Amino acid sequence: MKSKIWGGSKLIDILGKSSDRRDIGESWEISDVENDISIISNGELKGKTLREVISLYKDTLVGDKVFEIFGEKFPLLIKFIDAKTTLSIQLHPDDKLARERHNSFGKTEMWYVMQADKDANLIVGFKDNVTKESYLKHLEEKNLLEILNVDKVSHGDIYYIPTGRIHAIGAGVMLAEIQQTSDITYRVYDWDRKDSSGNYRELHTNLAIDAINFKSQDSYKTPYQKVENNSTQVISCPYFTTNILPLNGSVTINHEEKNSFVIYMCVQGEATFHYSGKTTKIKCGETCLIPACLKKFEISSEMESELLEVYIDL
């Protein structure tokens, strides 16, 4: 659980997370980021860290091709996020810049809106193509919002945020985030707010300039269709593939063609996994990591539920 200047209480009040604080901005569900490594919550491996289990089981857990590329580093970071107030306007560097500057992966990500207050919005990309000079002028004059694209959002909206795309989660939005394993963010504007100690947070104006994509596009929201009890692809990129699975009843899963772990994020309702004579249940706001060696299993739900299915397609 991550306390943030912009965090709130929805992860506790709606998703049932445990915290005495009321400024929780993020819940890191599956993480291999140094000092924030996930611990397995149930089963025979309960109490072991994700890193320990990858070290033990290697490609059996993550898949041959994934292990070949990433070794014992888990390549994805999975979060739930609650923005009580708007996040800083920010962007993330690509793999090349992140490697050169921070010895890190870049940070391509996607959002699935789980809940949004009335008139809540997301800032994603520019309204029109802009020049570096125009961007810097608006930034200096503190009217950057004039050239940014702002979308009002509601439950189920999906956005893909490649590296270089300027963005910010707006106040009143709770979402699921899937991203590369990286904690590198270039903050360019933070609404002139101060932290609890009365300090402004660091801005990264110079670092960001070389990382920003100044081109616009007609729409930033990802269109998709849902088919009950069927897994439908919504995002496919070199770093992850995400499908949406609306569930009501029971569905048989076959991952024989995949050479990757598969993550299920429950973003609505609840679901039960049936495998090898055992069961595991997850409810809204919980996440399950399926090892690459488990190819066939069943998922069931006695209510209208929704899962995000995430893996790496190599």
Side-chain angles (χ1 to χ4, degrees), residues 214-258:
F214 292 105
K215 292 183 178 179
S216 67
Q217 59 187 55
D218 292 339
S219 174
Y220 294 92
K221 184 158 63 173
T222 300
Y224 68 97
Q225 293 183 320
K226 294 192 289 188
V227 181
E228 189 172 86
N229 295 330
N230 280 272
S231 186
T232 304
Q233 187 178 106
V234 291
I235 297 288
S236 179
C237 71
Y239 305 103
F240 54 80
T241 295
T242 300
N243 302 334
I244 194 158
L245 174 57
L247 190 62
N248 191 0
S250 180
V251 60
T252 299
I253 302 293
N254 185 342
H255 288 317
E256 291 284 1
E257 82 289 354
K258 294 182 180 64

Side-chain angles (χ1 to χ4, degrees), residues 16-176:
K17 304 293 181 183
S18 296
S19 177
D20 295 330
R21 301 185 64 104
R22 310 300 283 178
D23 63 349
I24 298 299
E26 300 181 348
S27 170
W28 288 21
E29 297 293 306
I30 299 180
S31 167
D32 190 33
V33 174
E34 199 65 46
N35 301 318
D36 287 297
I37 299 170
S38 293
I39 298 171
I40 294 169
S41 63
N42 64 344
E44 295 173 9
L45 299 174
K46 181 178 180 179
K48 289 189 179 296
T49 68
L50 176 61
R51 195 168 288 180
E52 286 174 323
V53 175
I54 294 176
S55 181
L56 279 171
Y57 295 101
K58 298 180 172 38
D59 55 330
T60 306
L61 176 62
V62 299
D64 295 346
K65 291 183 179 178
V66 174
F67 189 75
E68 187 178 310
I69 294 171
F70 296 98
E72 294 184 7
K73 284 289 293 177
F74 195 74
L76 298 181
L77 175 56
I78 304 296
K79 302 176 180 178
F80 293 110
I81 295 178
D82 168 30
K84 184 177 181 180
T85 59
T86 302
L87 274 69
S88 63
I89 299 174
Q90 59 187 246
L91 60 132
H92 310 294
D94 61 18
D95 286 344
K96 184 176 183 294
L97 274 179
R99 193 181 308 110
E100 290 171 357
R101 293 174 173 176
H102 315 285
N103 191 30
S104 171
F105 294 122
K107 189 174 175 183
T108 290
E109 60 191 15
M110 67 155 283
W111 296 332
Y112 172 94
V113 177
M114 295 175 68
Q115 185 271 338
D117 296 347
K118 187 176 183 294
D119 295 328
N121 61 53
L122 298 174
I123 296 169
V124 185
F126 292 102
K127 288 179 186 175
D128 301 294
N129 293 345
V130 298
T131 63
K132 184 188 295 186
E133 292 72 25
S134 173
Y135 160 79
L136 287 171
K137 184 174 185 291
H138 282 84
L139 184 61
E140 184 182 351
E141 295 174 354
K142 298 185 178 180
N143 57 13
L144 192 58
L145 206 55
E146 288 183 4
I147 57 174
L148 297 179
N149 174 71
V150 181
D151 281 3
K152 191 182 293 187
V153 294
S154 58
H155 172 259
D157 286 347
I158 290 177
Y159 285 81
Y160 175 57
I161 314 291
T163 56
R165 180 168 292 170
I166 200 162
H167 61 274
I169 302 171
V173 177
M174 181 177 73
L175 53 78

Side-chain angles (χ1 to χ4, degrees), residues 141-301:
E141 295 174 354
K142 298 185 178 180
N143 57 13
L144 192 58
L145 206 55
E146 288 183 4
I147 57 174
L148 297 179
N149 174 71
V150 181
D151 281 3
K152 191 182 293 187
V153 294
S154 58
H155 172 259
D157 286 347
I158 290 177
Y159 285 81
Y160 175 57
I161 314 291
T163 56
R165 180 168 292 170
I166 200 162
H167 61 274
I169 302 171
V173 177
M174 181 177 73
L175 53 78
E177 181 177 88
I178 296 151
Q179 60 160 92
Q180 291 175 266
T181 293
S182 171
D183 200 27
I184 307 298
T185 294
Y186 292 163
R187 189 183 299 122
V188 297
Y189 184 61
D190 199 28
W191 314 103
D192 298 315
R193 62 186 161 193
K194 297 178 181 179
D195 63 19
S196 56
S197 302
N199 300 314
Y200 294 109
R201 294 196 295 170
E202 182 183 5
L203 299 178
H204 309 98
T205 305
N206 293 331
L207 287 172
I209 280 294
D210 293 336
I212 297 176
N213 180 351
F214 292 105
K215 292 183 178 179
S216 67
Q217 59 187 55
D218 292 339
S219 174
Y220 294 92
K221 184 158 63 173
T222 300
Y224 68 97
Q225 293 183 320
K226 294 192 289 188
V227 181
E228 189 172 86
N229 295 330
N230 280 272
S231 186
T232 304
Q233 187 178 106
V234 291
I235 297 288
S236 179
C237 71
Y239 305 103
F240 54 80
T241 295
T242 300
N243 302 334
I244 194 158
L245 174 57
L247 190 62
N248 191 0
S250 180
V251 60
T252 299
I253 302 293
N254 185 342
H255 288 317
E256 291 284 1
E257 82 289 354
K258 294 182 180 64
N259 196 339
S260 168
F261 59 86
V262 183
I263 293 166
Y264 287 92
M265 303 181 77
C266 188
V267 291
Q268 180 182 322
E270 60 183 39
T272 302
F273 294 79
H274 307 264
Y275 58 98
S276 307
K278 301 176 183 179
T279 61
T280 292
K281 179 178 281 191
I282 60 172
K283 59 182 177 61
C284 186
E286 292 183 332
T287 303
C288 184
L289 173 61
I290 304 292
C293 61
L294 182 58
K295 299 297 186 183
K296 295 180 180 180
F297 50 94
E298 188 178 282
I299 312 176
S300 65
S301 181

